[in-house]
Amino acid sequence: MSKSIHPILISMIPLVEGLAKTFGRNCEIVLNEISDSKRSIIAISNGHVTGRSVGSPMLEAGVKAVRKGNDADNILNYSNKSSDGKILKSSTMFVRDDKNEIIGCLCINIDISEFVVAQKALEELIKTDIKGEINLGDFASNNVNDVLMNIVTDTLEANGKPVAYMNKDEKVTIVKKLDEQGAFLIKGAIDYVAKILCVSRYTIYNYLDEIRVNG
């Protein structure tokens, strides 16, 4: 890489491969140099998890933290998502120089999508009949955006499969269930659902047309 990299960050590059080999192929390890967030990655292992490589930008959560400057705190064990819908468990740890100024960050992104699928399968296996079960969707909300988010979240959780593992028919089924609940009567629902399902807004329109034609 042509740009100058801080010696502290250079010394950390061997950690990237070592950690990745320790935790396996579903664990992406990334070392970022923060002076250019659009081309921040200086070392990465298991980049297939988020589809990035050296010279790629950091994820949005890291960018937001960096914007806080030297007051930024490490962000540990948070939920994240890749551009293709993988569910990630992430941590972002900042690297500081001898003046306590942030010069980079070491990020861990673990693809837990398969574990989420397994969790849903286990929940289905061990569940029992419960009387008086509360449906969180019945609670009123003062914010229509909250209503939309709750409908979409509940529908996806009931499906039990991460978006990254859904085929077209499964996404059509999700859209059908949302339509039946009136989700698309809420302003902005098309764009929101398209983002969640990792498709274009025009694809959502096509799904809706297909659903209404087939009944």
Side-chain angles (χ1 to χ4, degrees):
M1 186 171 291
S2 59
K3 69 178 182 179
S4 176
I5 300 175
H6 197 286
I8 292 177
L9 295 176
I10 292 176
S11 70
M12 295 182 64
I13 290 177
L15 289 175
V16 174
E17 182 179 1
L19 288 170
K21 286 186 174 180
T22 300
F23 292 106
R25 70 181 307 276
N26 286 334
C27 180
E28 178 189 75
I29 307 295
V30 187
L31 184 61
N32 293 282
E33 196 280 326
I34 67 167
S35 64
D36 182 1
S37 62
K38 293 182 179 179
R39 292 180 53 84
S40 67
I41 296 179
I42 59 174
I44 184 169
S45 285
N46 293 332
H48 61 270
V49 171
T50 61
R52 296 178 300 160
S53 58
V54 171
S56 295
M58 66 178 67
L59 295 178
E60 184 178 357
V63 173
K64 288 181 178 178
V66 167
R67 286 175 182 160
K68 297 180 181 179
N70 289 320
D71 293 329
D73 293 322
N74 292 338
I75 314 170
L76 304 177
N77 202 31
Y78 60 94
S79 178
N80 207 349
K81 190 176 79 169
S82 68
S83 60
D84 62 353
K86 294 187 184 78
I87 299 173
L88 308 177
K89 178 180 179 180
S90 301
S91 288
T92 299
M93 295 155 284
F94 292 102
V95 182
R96 299 175 184 267
D97 62 14
D98 54 7
K99 297 179 181 178
N100 203 37
E101 294 183 353
I102 293 175
I103 57 174
C105 57
L106 182 69
C107 301
I108 300 174
N109 299 303
I110 304 174
D111 179 6
I112 60 171
S113 303
E114 293 178 352
F115 296 104
V116 172
V117 173
Q119 180 187 38
K120 293 298 180 182
L122 288 172
E123 288 175 353
E124 181 66 23
L125 179 65
I126 65 176
K127 77 175 182 179
T128 57
D129 292 332
I130 301 174
K131 294 182 179 180
E133 185 174 352
I134 297 174
N135 182 357
L136 295 179
D138 292 338
F139 286 98
S141 172
N142 293 324
N143 189 322
V144 292
N145 290 328
D146 289 343
V147 173
L148 176 60
M149 290 174 62
N150 288 337
I151 291 174
V152 173
T153 298
D154 290 347
T155 302
L156 288 174
E157 288 182 351
N159 181 69
K161 181 181 286 189
V163 172
Y165 287 78
M166 290 184 192
N167 58 33
K168 181 209 168 184
D169 289 342
E170 289 169 324
K171 291 183 179 181
V172 170
T173 298
I174 293 293
V175 170
K176 182 178 181 180
K177 291 179 179 179
L178 293 174
D179 190 37
E180 290 171 349
Q181 297 174 80
F184 296 107
L185 298 176
I186 300 174
K187 184 178 179 181
I190 292 288
D191 289 331
Y192 179 72
V193 173
K195 181 178 180 181
I196 294 298
L197 293 182
C198 300
V199 298
S200 70
R201 66 195 313 268
Y202 302 105
T203 298
I204 299 297
Y205 282 122
N206 289 336
Y207 288 172
L208 289 169
D209 288 341
E210 181 179 331
I211 290 165
R212 287 157 189 171
V213 167
N214 295 330

